[in-house]
Amino acid sequence: MKIGIIGIGHLGFALAEGYAHAGRAADLVVSPRGREKASLLRATHGIRVADDNAGVVRETDVVIIATRPGDVIGTVRLLPWRDGQVLISAAAGITAGALRGAVAPADAVRAMPVLASRYGASAIPIYPDHGLAVEALAPLGRVTAIDDEDAFSAASALGGWFGWLFALTGETADVLIESGVEKTAARKVTADMMRAAGAMIAETPEKDPRDTLSQLATPGGITEAGIEALRDADAFEPWRDAMAAAAARLQALGRSAG
């Protein structure tokens, strides 16, 4: 399978590096947009840089577009799409129907990979389920199909949540540093603990994570003390508000792009 990437900004570069680290550099073709980063990918990983976006489409089976939402339709329209190809849009807000109309006779799906794709560790919601697209994205992390487009838009707000976790981890690590833990060790162990919680939750997605929390929060223990402090401060409500704000921003992006 040949995979193309149009738009080599921060995300496109991370996607390309993720494929390279997974041993797929030879299968990749990237656009010259973001020329400096595209040249770096060629020099570092031997990734082919096409002359233009049309060249990316001609040479590949799957194309990921990682441009700004307002540029997506204008970028992909009139390129030499063919039957059997699929476009994966990593841009927020553009409906699958609008994408298909722009790339017919190719198919189109929406996905929301994040920068952790560089390490093959991204969560990747996708709509709709599409075998070729899922196969193409699999080297970048864990792909989860969402069966409704409105639900996918809601899940896309997790792209913002991913960023907020960096702030939470930084604040948590600072407490350890202030208590005498060396900086690198504090940040690593905090991140590893977050990874450990994520692994447990991901292995049993049918189970409410709060059920596990109730088992961890033994009476008089540190988990119980911390949770009570967070609940007393109503600390979870702002996170719900932040998710709602992110979802509203995605809806606004969709309207402006449309």
Short mmCIF file of all heavy atoms in Angstrom, two decimals, residues 31-67:
data_model
loop_
_atom_site.label_atom_id
_atom_site.label_comp_id
_atom_site.label_asym_id
_atom_site.label_seq_id
_atom_site.Cartn_x
_atom_site.Cartn_y
_atom_site.Cartn_z
N SER A 31 3.78 15.64 0.06
CA SER A 31 3.69 16.83 -0.77
C SER A 31 4.85 17.77 -0.48
O SER A 31 5.43 17.73 0.61
CB SER A 31 2.36 17.54 -0.52
OG SER A 31 2.35 18.13 0.76
N PRO A 32 5.19 18.66 -1.41
CA PRO A 32 6.26 19.61 -1.16
C PRO A 32 5.84 20.76 -0.26
O PRO A 32 6.68 21.56 0.16
CB PRO A 32 6.60 20.13 -2.56
CG PRO A 32 5.33 19.99 -3.33
CD PRO A 32 4.67 18.75 -2.80
N ARG A 33 4.55 20.88 0.04
CA ARG A 33 4.11 21.92 0.96
C ARG A 33 4.75 21.70 2.32
O ARG A 33 4.75 20.59 2.83
CB ARG A 33 2.58 21.91 1.09
CG ARG A 33 2.08 22.95 2.07
CD ARG A 33 0.58 23.04 2.06
NE ARG A 33 0.14 24.00 3.07
CZ ARG A 33 -1.10 24.45 3.17
NH1 ARG A 33 -2.01 24.06 2.31
NH2 ARG A 33 -1.41 25.31 4.12
N GLY A 34 5.27 22.76 2.91
CA GLY A 34 6.12 22.61 4.08
C GLY A 34 7.47 22.11 3.61
O GLY A 34 8.01 21.13 4.09
N ARG A 35 8.01 22.82 2.59
CA ARG A 35 9.17 22.32 1.84
C ARG A 35 10.36 21.97 2.73
O ARG A 35 11.03 20.97 2.53
CB ARG A 35 9.56 23.37 0.80
CG ARG A 35 10.60 22.89 -0.21
CD ARG A 35 10.75 23.88 -1.34
NE ARG A 35 9.50 24.08 -2.05
CZ ARG A 35 9.06 23.30 -3.04
NH1 ARG A 35 9.77 22.23 -3.37
NH2 ARG A 35 7.94 23.55 -3.65
N GLU A 36 10.62 22.80 3.74
CA GLU A 36 11.77 22.53 4.61
C GLU A 36 11.60 21.21 5.35
O GLU A 36 12.52 20.40 5.42
CB GLU A 36 11.95 23.68 5.61
CG GLU A 36 13.16 23.52 6.51
CD GLU A 36 13.36 24.71 7.44
OE1 GLU A 36 12.86 25.80 7.13
OE2 GLU A 36 14.01 24.52 8.49
N LYS A 37 10.39 20.97 5.89
CA LYS A 37 10.16 19.72 6.61
C LYS A 37 10.12 18.53 5.65
O LYS A 37 10.60 17.44 5.98
CB LYS A 37 8.86 19.82 7.40
CG LYS A 37 8.96 20.75 8.60
CD LYS A 37 7.67 20.76 9.40
CE LYS A 37 7.85 21.64 10.65
NZ LYS A 37 6.63 21.72 11.45
N ALA A 38 9.56 18.75 4.46
CA ALA A 38 9.55 17.68 3.47
C ALA A 38 10.97 17.28 3.09
O ALA A 38 11.29 16.09 2.97
CB ALA A 38 8.76 18.11 2.24
N SER A 39 11.83 18.28 2.92
CA SER A 39 13.23 17.99 2.58
C SER A 39 13.93 17.25 3.72
O SER A 39 14.76 16.36 3.48
CB SER A 39 13.97 19.30 2.28
OG SER A 39 13.42 19.93 1.14
N LEU A 40 13.59 17.59 4.95
CA LEU A 40 14.16 16.91 6.11
C LEU A 40 13.73 15.44 6.13
O LEU A 40 14.54 14.55 6.43
CB LEU A 40 13.75 17.61 7.39
CG LEU A 40 14.29 17.03 8.70
CD1 LEU A 40 15.82 17.03 8.70
CD2 LEU A 40 13.75 17.84 9.89
N LEU A 41 12.47 15.17 5.80
CA LEU A 41 11.99 13.79 5.75
C LEU A 41 12.73 13.00 4.68
O LEU A 41 13.07 11.83 4.88
CB LEU A 41 10.48 13.77 5.47
CG LEU A 41 9.58 14.25 6.60
CD1 LEU A 41 8.14 14.41 6.10
CD2 LEU A 41 9.62 13.29 7.79
N ARG A 42 12.97 13.64 3.55
CA ARG A 42 13.71 12.96 2.48
C ARG A 42 15.16 12.68 2.91
O ARG A 42 15.68 11.57 2.71
CB ARG A 42 13.70 13.82 1.22
CG ARG A 42 14.52 13.25 0.07
CD ARG A 42 14.23 13.96 -1.24
NE ARG A 42 14.33 15.40 -1.08
CZ ARG A 42 13.78 16.28 -1.94
NH1 ARG A 42 13.09 15.85 -2.99
NH2 ARG A 42 13.91 17.58 -1.75
N ALA A 43 15.80 13.68 3.55
CA ALA A 43 17.19 13.51 3.95
C ALA A 43 17.36 12.51 5.09
O ALA A 43 18.32 11.74 5.11
CB ALA A 43 17.77 14.87 4.35
N THR A 44 16.41 12.52 6.02
CA THR A 44 16.54 11.68 7.21
C THR A 44 16.06 10.26 7.00
O THR A 44 16.66 9.29 7.48
CB THR A 44 15.75 12.30 8.39
OG1 THR A 44 16.19 13.65 8.58
CG2 THR A 44 15.96 11.51 9.67
N HIS A 45 14.95 10.11 6.27
CA HIS A 45 14.31 8.80 6.15
C HIS A 45 14.22 8.28 4.72
O HIS A 45 13.72 7.17 4.50
CB HIS A 45 12.89 8.86 6.73
CG HIS A 45 12.83 9.28 8.16
ND1 HIS A 45 13.33 8.50 9.19
CD2 HIS A 45 12.33 10.40 8.75
CE1 HIS A 45 13.14 9.13 10.35
NE2 HIS A 45 12.54 10.28 10.10
N GLY A 46 14.66 9.06 3.74
CA GLY A 46 14.56 8.63 2.35
C GLY A 46 13.14 8.65 1.81
O GLY A 46 12.82 7.95 0.83
N ILE A 47 12.27 9.45 2.42
CA ILE A 47 10.86 9.53 1.98
C ILE A 47 10.78 10.34 0.69
O ILE A 47 11.41 11.40 0.56
CB ILE A 47 10.00 10.16 3.09
CG1 ILE A 47 9.91 9.21 4.28
CG2 ILE A 47 8.61 10.52 2.57
CD1 ILE A 47 9.27 9.80 5.51
N ARG A 48 9.99 9.85 -0.24
CA ARG A 48 9.84 10.54 -1.52
C ARG A 48 9.00 11.79 -1.36
O ARG A 48 7.94 11.78 -0.73
CB ARG A 48 9.20 9.60 -2.54
CG ARG A 48 8.80 10.30 -3.83
CD ARG A 48 8.56 9.36 -4.98
NE ARG A 48 7.87 10.04 -6.06
CZ ARG A 48 8.37 11.04 -6.78
NH1 ARG A 48 9.56 11.52 -6.52
NH2 ARG A 48 7.66 11.59 -7.77
N VAL A 49 9.47 12.90 -1.96
CA VAL A 49 8.72 14.15 -1.99
C VAL A 49 8.24 14.36 -3.42
O VAL A 49 9.04 14.45 -4.35
CB VAL A 49 9.59 15.34 -1.54
CG1 VAL A 49 8.78 16.63 -1.59
CG2 VAL A 49 10.15 15.11 -0.14
N ALA A 50 6.92 14.40 -3.60
CA ALA A 50 6.35 14.59 -4.93
C ALA A 50 6.56 16.02 -5.40
O ALA A 50 6.82 16.94 -4.61
CB ALA A 50 4.86 14.26 -4.90
N ASP A 51 6.41 16.23 -6.70
CA ASP A 51 6.55 17.57 -7.26
C ASP A 51 5.39 18.47 -6.84
O ASP A 51 5.56 19.68 -6.69
CB ASP A 51 6.62 17.51 -8.79
CG ASP A 51 7.90 16.84 -9.29
OD1 ASP A 51 8.91 16.89 -8.56
OD2 ASP A 51 7.87 16.28 -10.39
N ASP A 52 4.22 17.86 -6.69
CA ASP A 52 3.03 18.64 -6.33
C ASP A 52 1.99 17.69 -5.74
O ASP A 52 2.21 16.48 -5.64
CB ASP A 52 2.46 19.38 -7.55
CG ASP A 52 2.24 18.48 -8.77
OD1 ASP A 52 2.03 17.25 -8.57
OD2 ASP A 52 2.26 18.98 -9.90
N ASN A 53 0.83 18.26 -5.34
CA ASN A 53 -0.22 17.43 -4.74
C ASN A 53 -0.78 16.42 -5.71
O ASN A 53 -1.16 15.30 -5.31
CB ASN A 53 -1.34 18.33 -4.21
CG ASN A 53 -0.91 19.16 -3.02
OD1 ASN A 53 0.04 18.81 -2.32
ND2 ASN A 53 -1.61 20.25 -2.77
N ALA A 54 -0.85 16.78 -6.99
CA ALA A 54 -1.35 15.83 -7.99
C ALA A 54 -0.45 14.61 -8.05
O ALA A 54 -0.92 13.47 -8.21
CB ALA A 54 -1.43 16.51 -9.36
N GLY A 55 0.85 14.82 -7.90
CA GLY A 55 1.78 13.69 -7.91
C GLY A 55 1.56 12.77 -6.72
O GLY A 55 1.66 11.55 -6.85
N VAL A 56 1.22 13.33 -5.55
CA VAL A 56 0.92 12.52 -4.38
C VAL A 56 -0.27 11.60 -4.68
O VAL A 56 -0.24 10.40 -4.39
CB VAL A 56 0.61 13.40 -3.16
CG1 VAL A 56 0.16 12.54 -1.97
CG2 VAL A 56 1.83 14.23 -2.77
N VAL A 57 -1.31 12.16 -5.28
CA VAL A 57 -2.52 11.39 -5.56
C VAL A 57 -2.26 10.31 -6.61
O VAL A 57 -2.72 9.17 -6.47
CB VAL A 57 -3.66 12.33 -5.99
CG1 VAL A 57 -4.88 11.54 -6.44
CG2 VAL A 57 -4.03 13.27 -4.85
N ARG A 58 -1.51 10.65 -7.65
CA ARG A 58 -1.25 9.68 -8.71
C ARG A 58 -0.47 8.46 -8.21
O ARG A 58 -0.66 7.35 -8.70
CB ARG A 58 -0.46 10.35 -9.84
CG ARG A 58 -1.23 11.34 -10.67
CD ARG A 58 -0.46 11.71 -11.92
NE ARG A 58 -1.09 12.83 -12.60
CZ ARG A 58 -0.70 14.09 -12.48
NH1 ARG A 58 0.33 14.40 -11.69
NH2 ARG A 58 -1.33 15.05 -13.12
N GLU A 59 0.40 8.66 -7.23
CA GLU A 59 1.33 7.61 -6.84
C GLU A 59 0.87 6.76 -5.66
O GLU A 59 1.56 5.81 -5.27
CB GLU A 59 2.69 8.23 -6.47
CG GLU A 59 3.38 8.92 -7.63
CD GLU A 59 4.74 9.47 -7.23
OE1 GLU A 59 5.43 8.82 -6.41
OE2 GLU A 59 5.10 10.55 -7.73
N THR A 60 -0.29 7.07 -5.08
CA THR A 60 -0.66 6.42 -3.82
C THR A 60 -2.05 5.81 -3.85
O THR A 60 -2.87 6.13 -4.71
CB THR A 60 -0.57 7.42 -2.65
OG1 THR A 60 -1.44 8.52 -2.90
CG2 THR A 60 0.85 7.94 -2.49
N ASP A 61 -2.29 4.95 -2.87
CA ASP A 61 -3.60 4.31 -2.70
C ASP A 61 -4.44 5.03 -1.64
O ASP A 61 -5.66 5.07 -1.73
CB ASP A 61 -3.40 2.85 -2.26
CG ASP A 61 -2.49 2.09 -3.20
OD1 ASP A 61 -2.86 1.95 -4.38
OD2 ASP A 61 -1.40 1.67 -2.76
N VAL A 62 -3.76 5.56 -0.63
CA VAL A 62 -4.41 6.27 0.47
C VAL A 62 -3.70 7.61 0.62
O VAL A 62 -2.47 7.67 0.62
CB VAL A 62 -4.32 5.48 1.80
CG1 VAL A 62 -4.89 6.29 2.95
CG2 VAL A 62 -5.02 4.14 1.68
N VAL A 63 -4.48 8.68 0.75
CA VAL A 63 -3.90 10.01 0.94
C VAL A 63 -4.45 10.60 2.24
O VAL A 63 -5.67 10.63 2.45
CB VAL A 63 -4.24 10.95 -0.22
CG1 VAL A 63 -3.68 12.35 0.05
CG2 VAL A 63 -3.66 10.40 -1.53
N ILE A 64 -3.55 11.04 3.11
CA ILE A 64 -3.94 11.74 4.33
C ILE A 64 -3.72 13.23 4.11
O ILE A 64 -2.63 13.64 3.70
CB ILE A 64 -3.10 11.28 5.54
CG1 ILE A 64 -3.20 9.76 5.72
CG2 ILE A 64 -3.55 12.00 6.81
CD1 ILE A 64 -2.24 9.21 6.76
N ILE A 65 -4.74 14.03 4.35
CA ILE A 65 -4.57 15.47 4.25
C ILE A 65 -4.55 16.06 5.66
O ILE A 65 -5.43 15.79 6.48
CB ILE A 65 -5.65 16.14 3.37
CG1 ILE A 65 -5.33 17.64 3.25
CG2 ILE A 65 -7.07 15.89 3.88
CD1 ILE A 65 -6.01 18.32 2.08
N ALA A 66 -3.51 16.85 5.93
CA ALA A 66 -3.30 17.41 7.26
C ALA A 66 -3.08 18.91 7.18
O ALA A 66 -2.18 19.46 7.83
CB ALA A 66 -2.12 16.73 7.94
N THR A 67 -3.89 19.56 6.34
CA THR A 67 -3.82 21.02 6.22
C THR A 67 -4.81 21.67 7.18
O THR A 67 -5.54 20.99 7.90
CB THR A 67 -4.16 21.46 4.79
OG1 THR A 67 -5.52 21.10 4.50
CG2 THR A 67 -3.25 20.79 3.77
#
